[in-house]
């Protein structure tokens, strides 16, 4: 059995304690500087206050200042469970702590913007650690539809583990698979990671439909607005294919669990769809952040703001076909210009 050190004690990182412990692996859970209360609770009674479950016996919890102590010299695998906003913080911790290579698997969702393209976060982490320390990391990522609260109570969960090193990814599948956690292998790192990041972004658009229903006149039959949501969902899949293939990814990841599967789950609930609901009601992004979602981290919106200059540059220089990305453009405009989200219905039908 292996010793796994998880950096990040939020709901996603902590939920991974379940399949790891159920497979008999030793788990050391290290919080970030934002996880102090969580780690205090796990230490005191084993309970994760945000997941509202007791973590499995044998999970050893550490505060963020004890990462080196938790890592020791015997960790076999590091699992990065930090949010996309914490990637640079995690890179700093790896660079100051690692003395020799330790394999890494990431559940962080996001993309790093370059001047004329987007880089997958695993590639970004590996490149920065090598540049700053000379250490070459074996690195993988986990994508696909995984609601932390469901995994934390052992509901069936299917994911995709991707790496440029396929034997390493396969070893992780073998290491994690149990009767409720079902990982699959993929070599499409950029495709899986684009889906993992942009499903949050496009879930904002899908969520718009439910919010807009509240502005519409009530009908005698109390009709919903699911047809509109389905159109937007379809368009999101089409545009995920454009973004993936433009960066060298495959369409298979988009119509599979990393894309369609994860977007379906994300659009059901959560902060990204709630932002979409508020935009559908007529609020702008900033009005939502100042009001009903004050203090919330909305990763799809943060991604959109971060990658907007790169995507617009790619559309301008022809690396991306702007006419094929009307929903992307509408979402970027709403997020960066603080304007109403105007769904370009006619353009959706002409973009394929």
């Amino acid at each position: 059995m292996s010793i796994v050190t998880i950096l990040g004690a939020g709901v996603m990182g902590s939920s991974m304690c379940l399949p790891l412990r159920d497979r008999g692996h030793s788990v050391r859970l290290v919080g970030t500087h934002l996880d102090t209360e969580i780690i205090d609770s796990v230490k005191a009674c084993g309970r994760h206050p945000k997941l509202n479950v007791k973590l499995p016996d044998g999970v050893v919890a550490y505060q963020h200042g004890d990462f080196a102590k938790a890592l020791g010299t015997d960790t076999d695998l590091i699992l990065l469970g930090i949010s996309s906003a914490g990637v640079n913080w995690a890179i700093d911790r790896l660079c100051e702590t690692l003395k020799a290579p330790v394999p890494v698997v990431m559940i962080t969702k996001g993309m790093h913007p370059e001047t004329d393209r987007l880089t997958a976060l695993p590639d970004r982490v590996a490149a920065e650690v090598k540049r700053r320390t000379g250490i070459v990391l074996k690195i993988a990522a986990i994508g696909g539809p995984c609601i932390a609260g469901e995994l934390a109570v052992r509901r069936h969960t299917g994911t995709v583990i991707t790496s440029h090193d396929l034997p390493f990814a396969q070893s992780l599948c073998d290491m994690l698979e149990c009767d409720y956690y079902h990982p699959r292998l993929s070599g499409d790192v950029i495709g899986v990671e684009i889906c993992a990041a942009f499903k949050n972004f496009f879930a904002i658009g899908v969520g718009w439909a439910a919010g807009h229903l509240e502005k519409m006149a009530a009908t005698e039959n109390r009709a919903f607005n699911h047809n509109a949501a389905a159109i937007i969902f379809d368009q999101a899949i089409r545009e995920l294919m454009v973004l993936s293939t433009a960066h060298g990814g495959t369409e298979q990841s988009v119509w599979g669990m990393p894309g369609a599967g994860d977007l379906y789950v994300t659009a059901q609930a959560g902060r990204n769809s709630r932002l979409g609901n508020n935009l559908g009601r007529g609020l702008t992004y900033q009005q939502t952040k100042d009001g009903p979602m004050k203090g919330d981290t909305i990763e799809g919106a943060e991604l959109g703001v971060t990658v907007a200059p790169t995507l617009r540059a790619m559309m301008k220089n022809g690396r991306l076909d702007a006419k094929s990305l009307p929903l992307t453009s509408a979402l970027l405009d709403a997020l960066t210009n603080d304007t109403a989200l105007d769904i370009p219905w006619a353009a959706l039908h002409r973009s394929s």
Side-chain angles (χ1 to χ4, degrees):
M1 296 297 103
S2 300
I3 298 173
V4 181
T5 297
I6 300 174
L7 182 57
V11 293
M12 283 307 305
S14 299
S15 69
M16 290 300 296
C17 293
L18 276 292
L20 285 166
R21 285 298 296 144
D22 287 349
R23 285 299 308 272
H25 304 296
S26 297
V27 177
R28 300 164 182 171
L29 180 64
V30 185
T32 70
H33 53 293
L34 302 176
D35 298 332
T36 301
E37 292 182 5
I38 293 174
I39 295 299
D40 284 343
S41 178
V42 174
K43 283 186 171 184
C45 61
R47 194 165 192 83
H48 193 289
K50 292 189 175 180
L51 284 171
N52 198 26
V53 299
K54 186 178 183 299
L55 295 182
D57 291 341
V59 174
V60 182
Y62 296 81
Q63 294 291 0
H64 68 92
D66 292 327
F67 178 49
K69 180 180 178 181
L71 193 65
T73 59
D74 55 353
T75 291
D76 299 301
L77 177 71
I78 298 171
L79 189 151
L80 290 186
I82 39 83
S83 69
S84 57
V87 167
N88 288 333
W89 179 89
I91 290 172
D92 289 342
R93 302 293 79 73
L94 292 174
C95 289
E96 69 188 21
T97 307
L98 288 176
K99 306 304 179 188
V102 179
V104 172
V105 60
M106 298 180 62
I107 56 174
T108 307
K109 311 297 188 287
M111 302 297 297
H112 179 72
E114 307 285 354
T115 303
D116 60 351
R117 66 178 291 109
L118 302 175
T119 300
L121 287 186
D123 294 335
R124 162 75 173 171
V125 170
E128 275 298 292
V129 171
K130 181 180 179 181
R131 182 183 69 82
R132 290 163 60 174
T133 70
I135 294 174
V136 177
L137 292 179
K138 188 180 291 187
I139 195 162
I142 302 178
C146 179
I147 296 176
E150 294 184 13
L151 179 58
V153 292
R154 298 179 173 87
R155 298 275 168 88
H156 284 287
T157 299
T159 60
V160 172
I161 300 181
T162 186
S163 175
H164 299 297
D165 185 334
L166 283 177
F168 174 48
Q170 183 61 61
S171 72
L172 293 172
C173 290
D174 297 339
M175 177 181 179
L176 288 164
E177 185 175 10
C178 58
D179 59 357
Y180 60 88
Y181 191 78
H182 313 285
R184 302 178 186 177
L185 178 69
S186 173
D188 182 22
V189 174
I190 188 64
V192 170
E193 289 295 278
I194 281 178
C195 290
F198 277 92
K199 62 90 170 37
N200 289 321
F201 175 75
F202 286 120
I204 299 169
V206 179
W208 176 94
H212 193 68
L213 176 64
E214 298 182 18
K215 292 185 61 179
M216 302 169 74
T219 59
E220 185 178 5
N221 67 350
R222 298 180 182 179
F224 293 104
N225 206 24
H226 297 322
N227 290 347
I231 295 172
I232 300 169
F233 188 99
D234 171 79
Q235 186 65 29
I237 297 300
R238 291 171 182 266
E239 297 191 22
L240 275 173
M241 288 185 178
V242 174
L243 293 169
S244 176
T245 55
H247 287 86
T250 71
E251 292 189 355
Q252 180 178 356
S253 293
V254 177
W255 55 251
M257 286 201 303
D262 209 355
L263 179 59
Y264 169 79
V265 163
T266 305
Q268 300 304 303
R271 288 166 292 187
N272 297 287
S273 60
R274 290 206 306 274
L275 171 59
N277 294 165
N278 282 290
L279 296 181
R281 295 183 188 105
L283 296 180
T284 66
Y285 174 46
Q286 193 58 51
Q287 287 170 337
T288 303
K289 287 285 288 179
D290 290 340
M293 298 189 70
K294 187 173 183 178
D296 287 345
T297 298
I298 310 168
E299 290 203 329
E302 293 185 353
L303 173 79
V305 172
T306 299
V307 303
T310 298
L311 292 184
R312 286 170 174 152
M314 293 179 71
M315 292 181 202
K316 186 174 182 180
N317 66 26
R319 290 198 63 180
L320 285 173
D321 178 11
K323 291 183 179 179
S324 297
L325 297 167
L327 181 58
T328 298
S329 295
L331 285 164
L332 292 179
D333 287 344
L335 294 171
T336 61
N337 298 331
D338 199 38
T339 55
L341 175 54
D342 184 13
I343 303 296
W345 297 106
L348 305 190
H349 298 285
R350 299 171 185 152
S351 64
S352 58

